[in-house]
Amino acid sequence: MTLDVKNLSVSYGGKPILSGVEFTLSAGQWLMVVGPNGAGKSTLINAISQGAPYAGAVLLDGKDVSRMKPRERAKRIGALAQHHSVGYGFTAEEVVRMGRYAYSGGWPRSSHAEDAEKTLAALDQAGLMELRGQSALTLSGGELQRVFLAQIWAQDPSILLLDEPSNHLDLSHQRQTFDRIQSWLAQPDRAVLSVVHDLSLALAYGTDALLLRNGETIASGAARSVLSQETLRRAYDIDVHDWMRRMLRQWQE
Amino acid sequence: MRDRTESFRAYEYAAFILAAFAVMLLCVCVGSVRVRAADALAVIWGSIWNLPLPEGVSRPIIMSVRLPRVLCVALSGASLSLCGAAMQGLLRNPLADGSTMGVSAGASLGAVIALAFGVTIPGLPFAGAMTMAMLFAFLSLLAILSLAYRLDRSLSTNTILLIGVVFSMFAHSIISLISAFAGERIKTILFWTMGSLAGSTYANALALLCALVVCGAAILPSARELNAFAIGEDNARTIGVNVRRVKLAILVSVSALIGVCVSVGGTIGFVGLVTPHITRMLVGPNHRRLLPASAFGGAVFLMLTDLLARIIIRPLELPIGVVTSLIGSIAFIYIFAKTRPVR
């Protein structure tokens, strides 16, 4: 399983947001997309999930993703948006169950029992069993984030595109979520691309990294080499390593 | 828990249909001339099968005046409410209804042109207005969609809302212009724009029924997709909904159905906006339940308001649009206050 992104460019109203981004994502890789605000990280996820018009090509196992049927695409690629809101009072369970949509048409069609089972399993994994009957309008930001993560688990794709998966999550849920993604990734034929701001998380969990600034690629490759002192300075204009160490030193007694 | 995500069961549908028929019978019986329910049933049954009719009951009142009108009212109510529920879900906007796209304003314009310039079909007094309304509904739909596509190929919600509002304003300004110079015909035009189903015929009911069956067959199976849109359009795309195709199909079916409704009964406001809300408070936001429940709720709601419009200041009639707004707003606030803490 390989996701090939070739010479990808996006512009809104003549203003370039991403220019000529290229990378290959293979099974077992967790690609961390990092960079300062306005680097085009979210746009990259939107383009790959076919939510923004782009130039260039996105190929999944050599097949053009933009030509795939929406349901077929959703079975292979799942995406988590950066912000969530739910219109009307759908319950957490109803929102999670929508993740099974791709399996509701075409062939093979999943059974009702299978959908219900996968929905419950996803709710359980996200620790949402107690909240499942609650209206999504009454959930907190972090709970809503977990609901949409659970929806992706129910969707069961082979590639995850996650825009700030740690958004709104407290530390213990951040850890739980990232561990969960890591064990999911350990199964064969799976890959993750995630946008993160927390460079410590990027270093701890990423196998690879893509560093963007103003839509241009600053560096890409193995996570540790991309997140080196010199390259990070070029993207963020500060000494990131020094800053991180100073932050940690506060905790020493 | 499971019950809320499933669609209705057969016995629930049976209860809905029974309730709708009970209200329909009530509307046939009550009015300036009261008829006993048994007599009304006997007359209707007898007329269908050509049997001898009971003595002392006026057949024309039941068969030529009240029954066709009640049928049209029920079908209009169901259609308007179904369209409202679909549009509120599709656009994820609680203020949307079937007229949001602007097609109903276009249909009104067609009817007003027919009334003002005396476009008639010999022998059928309102058929000219009806045909013109349908024609203009179709032309408006073409105009609105081609304009929307030209501005924004993804047909985003904001584009649709904006174009709908602008197109409605445009159509209404021409209606005002025509009305200003209409002279004596202003009364007919005013009566028509306020919405009325008085004088409806079986032909009207048949037109509404066909439209409801055809468009309903396109809207009702899209309940899952509408759920996805109601949660959020971006989310709908990532879980695999063919966003553009579903949107186009819903917009076209809703517009066609609304076009037929307006051509039969003029613009009857508020039903399409409020009935889906009331229904949503009662059965939840899942469109598998919301769509059919809205259709039945709209039928019952409009039949009852039409009944009130007929009997409040007997023997005069109130315009039905006035009554729908009056009753709808009060019922809405009452139910809103009662159910709000739950959802």
Side-chain angles (χ1 to χ4, degrees), chain B residues 206-223:
Chain B
L206 188 66
L208 281 169
L209 182 67
C210 293
L212 182 58
V213 167
V214 171
C215 300
I219 296 169
L220 286 169
S222 305

Side-chain angles (χ1 to χ4, degrees), chain A residues 7-12 15-20 43-44 47 52-55:
Chain A
N7 199 17
L8 186 94
S9 302
V10 177
S11 55
Y12 291 140
K15 186 188 171 220
I17 307 292
L18 276 179
S19 15
T43 305
L44 178 64
Y54 58 86

Side-chain angles (χ1 to χ4, degrees), chain B residues 112-118 174-190:
Chain B
V112 167
I113 289 175
L115 295 173
F117 298 103
I174 298 184
I175 290 177
S176 303
L177 191 68
I178 294 175
S179 309
F181 293 101
E184 289 184 359
R185 290 191 167 129
I186 185 81
K187 237 183 142 175
T188 337
I189 293 177
L190 190 67

Side-chain angles (χ1 to χ4, degrees), chain B residues 269-295:
Chain B
F270 224 66
V271 188
L273 182 66
V274 165
T275 333
H277 274 287
I278 296 177
T279 316
R280 196 178 291 112
M281 291 171 192
L282 299 174
V283 307
N286 192 321
H287 286 79
R288 287 185 150 189
R289 293 164 76 91
L290 181 61
L291 292 177
S294 291

Side-chain angles (χ1 to χ4, degrees), chain A:
Chain A
M1 195 241 10
T2 6
L3 182 76
D4 274 308
V5 171
K6 289 185 173 163
N7 199 17
L8 186 94
S9 302
V10 177
S11 55
Y12 291 140
K15 186 188 171 220
I17 307 292
L18 276 179
S19 15
V21 174
E22 298 218 343
F23 62 85
T24 299
L25 184 66
S26 312
Q29 284 185 321
W30 186 338
L31 178 68
M32 295 288 184
V33 180
V34 292
N37 296 140
K41 306 184 292 293
S42 299
T43 305
L44 178 64
I45 285 191
N46 281 340
I48 298 173
S49 65
Q50 309 300 309
Y54 58 86
V58 179
L59 307 174
L60 179 60
D61 292 333
K63 248 172 89 179
D64 190 342
V65 174
S66 69
R67 289 169 173 271
M68 289 168 81
K69 287 185 177 165
R71 275 197 172 96
E72 292 313 306
R73 188 180 69 229
K75 284 181 196 170
R76 301 297 309 277
I77 303 176
L80 178 79
Q82 187 178 1
H83 302 290
H84 306 290
S85 67
V86 172
Y88 307 111
F90 287 91
T91 63
E93 180 171 357
E94 282 173 317
V95 175
V96 174
R97 186 189 280 261
M98 287 309 296
R100 299 298 299 165
Y101 176 81
Y103 303 90
S104 67
W107 195 260
R109 190 185 293 248
S110 70
S111 74
H112 206 80
E114 190 186 350
D115 286 347
E117 186 191 316
K118 296 225 168 177
T119 304
L120 281 184
L123 281 164
D124 191 30
Q125 277 159 357
L128 291 167
M129 284 309 265
E130 305 212 325
L131 298 176
R132 69 193 168 125
Q134 203 171 316
S135 159
L137 296 176
T138 63
L139 298 176
S140 74
E143 288 165 343
L144 203 56
Q145 176 81 357
R146 278 151 58 206
V147 166
F148 279 93
L149 273 165
Q151 191 195 55
I152 283 208
W153 299 132
Q155 187 178 335
D156 194 21
S158 42
I159 295 177
L160 298 185
L161 308 173
L162 309 171
D163 199 347
E164 307 228 20
S166 57
N167 237 358
H168 305 295
L169 296 183
D170 59 55
L171 269 183
S172 88
H173 277 115
Q174 276 188 29
R175 185 181 164 177
Q176 223 172 61
T177 302
F178 274 68
D179 283 349
R180 165 96 182 93
I181 298 169
Q182 198 165 47
S183 57
W184 178 86
L185 182 62
Q187 290 162 275
D189 234 22
R190 289 176 168 178
V192 181
L193 180 157
S194 68
V195 169
V196 287
H197 271 299
D198 187 335
L199 297 175
S200 301
L201 280 175
L203 197 57
Y205 290 91
T207 60
D208 296 78
L210 174 68
L211 180 59
L212 298 175
R213 180 178 180 164
N214 295 329
E216 314 257 355
T217 307
I218 302 286
S220 87
R224 191 150 285 277
S225 71
V226 171
L227 299 174
S228 74
Q229 196 156 16
E230 253 328 285
T231 27
L232 284 180
R233 194 202 303 276
R234 275 197 285 146
Y236 290 89
D237 292 331
I238 60 164
D239 188 339
V240 174
H241 282 226
D242 178 54
W243 168 258
M244 288 292 188
R245 286 195 195 101
R246 267 165 52 200
M247 286 287 111
L248 280 178
R249 222 169 283 142
Q250 304 178 92
W251 299 96
Q252 289 173 348
E253 288 177 81

